[in-house]
Amino acid sequence: MLGQMMNWSLTIPKILEYAAAMHGDTEIVSRTVEGPVHRYGYADAAKRARKLANALRRLGVGEGDVVGTLAWNGYRHFEIYYAVSGIGAVCHTINPRLFAEQLVYIVNHAADKYIFLDLTFVPLAEKLLAQFKGVKGFVLMTDRAHMPAATALPNPICYEELIAPEPDSIAWPDLDENTASGLCYTSATTGNPRGALYSHRSTVLHAFAHCMRLPGISAEGVMLPVVPMFHVNAWGAPYGAPMVGAKLVFPGPNLDGASLHALMDQEQVTFSAGVPTVWLNLLNHLDQVGKNLATVKYMLIGGSACPQAMIEAFAKRGIEVIHAWGMTETSPLGVVNTPKRKQLALGPQERMQLALKQGRPGFGVEIKIADAEGRALPWDGKAFGTLKVRGPWVCSGYFRQPPMATHDAEGWFDTGDVATIDADGFVELVDRTKDVIKSGGEWISSIQLENIAIAHPAVQEAAAIARRDAKWGERPRLVVVLRKDAKLGADELRDFFAGKVAKWAVPDDVVIVEQLPHTATGKILKRELRDKYGT
Ligand code: AMP
């Protein structure tokens, strides 16, 4: 027997239409590429998204077409998210920090029909133009006054002129909720990037989870996603915030500490989200100017492990760090670190041990860890193995790729991360499968070594990599960047590890460098370090 409830498909425009109706005057504030701060409410955002949807149809964009974006976090990008998906096309957010050949690959692989771009990225598109195969046109996300006098891009379209003549109403098509809505390629460190193809249903369910798992995401809150909209949909903020009517603040291209500090104070931001590197810059800036963030209560930190020093630095400023883990393939929220009631009674040290874990899954994410033979391992916080996940916002394969070994017959997705799970379901990442250091049959977690190194007051950033060793197979080596004007000898840093890890896990040597290489999404590029320092 079937239930007798309405079949109300979970489609993306419904989120915006809800926000327009219920929170129409709640602001979206954007720092723009052109300079000034732009502000309007959800009602106006919805009007302009509908105008854009009409304009896209006029351009010949239809269901299943892919539209690329090369853009910062800003209100026009937000409108594009909703307009493109709303008419059944696919919003392909392109990460401009990818290498040129990767950019060319994904634009052609996705078959982007149009590309919307911020003025910042015009030179980049011009440089690669000849290699883009099927792109029919480029829409510059600005007004007439700021259109470049000359550009090599053929028939550049001005965004404001494109939408101006269109009606601000639309009957959104009644799409099947499983229709593809968005596309994001992983910034793979080897091989070609792979695309995760999101659907309306996965996006809406993920937005529910976003609001459910993150404290402070509500109509009273002000959310500033620093994590880019070109990287896994800014972790869901552009959908989660309107779903509850939170004010949204977009930082545009200025992600340095001083700019973020000013914007956060000015707009009374209560919740922000980003990778540790960004927060390192912000904390350094706050130290330099001797100020605090006036209104921020929570920082969602993920993308790479959040060091203890960072959790403490924010706690000192009255800000709670919420550590989380996820991937492009998991939309991205996988596990989020919020305590259970019984854990509120833990002492400060145990609380810190817990906070360093990546977190526990909420409803909608199934997890397990498995050994090399695929056997499930116990949830004892000690055994570690490959982390596998399953759920309605986890990819079931890659865009235009044959089935891969990443997915098994039972539908589990192999994350490529190595983790422990404790009895309460808290996941702690031990490493990436390929970054773990295998010394004499024992596995050493590079993340653990990095966390210890970074806790040393002279260390700004650290990477632990495997160095080939005739006797042990591999041995740990630390590559570190020191804080400005700091001095530190290799032995001194090695001594700092005493008592914190087993003797055999202490790095054999330390290389001090000016800076570490990072991937397009701010992660340390370990492969490059291994090539340079791995022998
Ligand atoms: P991406 O798909 O580019 O977002 O990268 C996802 C990968 O980032 C994961 O598979 C992890 O290896 C890493 N990652 C994400 N969050 C964390 C975290 N909180 N701690 C450690 N690594 C993380």
Side-chain angles (χ1 to χ4, degrees), residues 78 85 93 99 123 133 169 172 226 234 253 304 330 376 401 420 491 522 525:
F78 179 84
S85 307
T93 50
F99 302 116
K133 294 213 180 83
S169 61
W172 295 109
V226 178
S304 50
T330 63
Q401 296 286 357
T420 63
D491 283 344
L525 199 50

Side-chain angles (χ1 to χ4, degrees), residues 34 57-58 68 104 172 184 189 224 231 272 303 311 318 329 350 366 404 433 447 468 489 516:
E34 295 93 334
R57 283 184 169 155
R58 177 159 50 84
V104 170
W172 295 109
C184 184
T189 47
L224 186 156
H231 183 214
S272 193
I311 298 178
E329 290 91 330
E350 288 161 307
E366 288 181 81
M404 289 188 178
T433 319
I447 292 179
R468 274 197 286 287
L516 294 174

Side-chain angles (χ1 to χ4, degrees), residues 512-532:
I512 293 174
V513 295
E514 285 294 310
Q515 60 180 38
L516 294 174
H518 291 97
T519 65
T521 50
K523 297 189 214 313
I524 297 172
L525 199 50
K526 295 261 181 95
R527 181 175 46 84
E528 200 172 307
L529 290 176
R530 277 193 292 266
D531 288 350
K532 212 159 164 191

Side-chain angles (χ1 to χ4, degrees), residues 369-443:
I369 42 174
D371 66 12
E373 278 74 47
R375 287 182 299 245
L377 292 167
W379 291 21
D380 59 7
K382 292 192 186 75
F384 56 83
T386 304
L387 178 64
K388 299 193 175 198
V389 296
R390 214 160 55 169
W393 55 86
V394 178
C395 74
S396 60
Y398 289 100
F399 184 48
R400 297 196 176 127
Q401 296 286 357
M404 289 188 178
T406 45
H407 290 80
D408 70 18
E410 292 166 343
W412 290 95
F413 167 64
D414 180 337
T415 63
D417 285 322
V418 178
T420 63
I421 306 177
D422 68 19
D424 287 308
F426 279 70
V427 170
E428 180 160 23
L429 248 66
V430 175
D431 231 321
R432 287 294 290 167
T433 319
K434 53 188 186 306
D435 292 340
V436 76
I437 302 158
K438 296 170 185 126
S439 177
E442 297 289 346
W443 283 19

Side-chain angles (χ1 to χ4, degrees), residues 284-359:
N284 283 343
H285 162 80
L286 293 174
D287 284 344
Q288 265 165 25
V289 297
K291 292 247 169 73
N292 198 5
L293 300 170
T295 50
V296 176
K297 292 197 187 112
Y298 300 103
M299 288 287 188
L300 178 65
I301 305 187
S304 50
C306 180
Q308 178 166 344
M310 187 168 284
I311 298 178
E312 286 166 349
F314 278 124
K316 258 202 300 207
R317 296 172 177 282
I319 297 167
E320 189 177 327
V321 164
I322 307 164
H323 198 184
W325 165 90
M327 307 177 72
T328 306
E329 290 91 330
T330 63
S331 295
L333 289 186
V335 304
V336 178
N337 196 328
T338 48
K340 296 181 177 178
R341 182 165 180 78
K342 66 177 179 185
Q343 290 160 337
L344 297 175
L346 293 175
Q349 248 181 342
E350 288 161 307
R351 266 309 271 281
M352 179 53 75
Q353 282 324 108
L354 185 69
L356 285 169
K357 297 190 177 197
Q358 275 68 17

Side-chain angles (χ1 to χ4, degrees), residues 246-296:
K247 171 176 164 180
L248 253 180
V249 182
F250 289 129
N254 305 347
L255 305 179
D256 59 285
S259 303
L260 288 177
H261 175 204
L263 191 62
M264 284 173 169
D265 278 6
Q266 186 184 308
E267 298 303 328
Q268 304 190 326
V269 169
T270 57
F271 191 107
S272 193
V275 297
T277 326
V278 163
W279 303 132
L280 208 57
N281 295 336
L282 178 63
L283 285 167
N284 283 343
H285 162 80
L286 293 174
D287 284 344
Q288 265 165 25
V289 297
K291 292 247 169 73
N292 198 5
L293 300 170
T295 50
V296 176

Side-chain angles (χ1 to χ4, degrees), residues 59-358:
L59 287 178
V61 175
E63 288 190 21
D65 283 334
V66 181
V67 174
T69 65
L70 270 170
W72 300 110
N73 293 6
Y75 69 103
R76 293 193 185 101
H77 205 178
F78 179 84
E79 292 160 10
I80 297 165
Y81 262 44
Y82 283 90
V84 171
S85 307
I87 59 166
V90 177
C91 181
H92 170 205
T93 50
I94 305 169
N95 184 341
R97 298 185 187 135
L98 293 175
F99 302 116
E101 55 275 25
Q102 293 179 316
L103 280 170
V104 170
Y105 171 84
I106 65 169
V107 166
N108 292 335
H109 184 264
D112 289 341
K113 198 162 175 179
Y114 281 91
I115 293 181
F116 282 67
L117 66 170
D118 270 331
L119 292 175
T120 322
F121 302 115
V122 170
L124 180 66
E126 285 175 334
K127 196 173 82 184
L128 304 176
L129 179 63
Q131 298 170 72
F132 291 160
K133 294 213 180 83
V135 182
K136 284 179 79 175
F138 294 86
V139 182
L140 274 56
M141 294 160 62
T142 192
D143 54 15
R144 174 47 56 192
H146 292 90
M147 284 293 278
T151 168
L153 299 177
N155 304 322
I157 301 167
C158 165
Y159 184 95
E160 292 302 327
E161 286 181 352
L162 175 70
I163 68 169
E166 297 296 333
D168 63 13
S169 61
I170 194 171
W172 295 109
D174 187 18
L175 300 167
D176 181 320
E177 64 185 25
N178 288 304
T179 304
S181 60
L183 177 62
C184 184
Y185 283 75
T186 58
S187 48
T189 47
T190 50
N192 280 325
R194 298 174 190 164
L197 185 65
Y198 311 116
S199 68
H200 284 257
R201 175 185 152 84
S202 75
T203 306
V204 173
L205 290 176
H206 180 267
F208 274 118
H210 188 270
C211 303
M212 177 176 83
R213 290 307 311 283
L214 304 178
I217 302 290
S218 75
E220 292 165 33
V222 182
M223 157 70 122
L224 186 156
V226 178
V227 53
M229 290 170 76
F230 55 72
H231 183 214
V232 216
N233 298 327
W235 297 350
Y239 303 111
M243 185 177 258
V244 293
K247 171 176 164 180
L248 253 180
V249 182
F250 289 129
N254 305 347
L255 305 179
D256 59 285
S259 303
L260 288 177
H261 175 204
L263 191 62
M264 284 173 169
D265 278 6
Q266 186 184 308
E267 298 303 328
Q268 304 190 326
V269 169
T270 57
F271 191 107
S272 193
V275 297
T277 326
V278 163
W279 303 132
L280 208 57
N281 295 336
L282 178 63
L283 285 167
N284 283 343
H285 162 80
L286 293 174
D287 284 344
Q288 265 165 25
V289 297
K291 292 247 169 73
N292 198 5
L293 300 170
T295 50
V296 176
K297 292 197 187 112
Y298 300 103
M299 288 287 188
L300 178 65
I301 305 187
S304 50
C306 180
Q308 178 166 344
M310 187 168 284
I311 298 178
E312 286 166 349
F314 278 124
K316 258 202 300 207
R317 296 172 177 282
I319 297 167
E320 189 177 327
V321 164
I322 307 164
H323 198 184
W325 165 90
M327 307 177 72
T328 306
E329 290 91 330
T330 63
S331 295
L333 289 186
V335 304
V336 178
N337 196 328
T338 48
K340 296 181 177 178
R341 182 165 180 78
K342 66 177 179 185
Q343 290 160 337
L344 297 175
L346 293 175
Q349 248 181 342
E350 288 161 307
R351 266 309 271 281
M352 179 53 75
Q353 282 324 108
L354 185 69
L356 285 169
K357 297 190 177 197
Q358 275 68 17

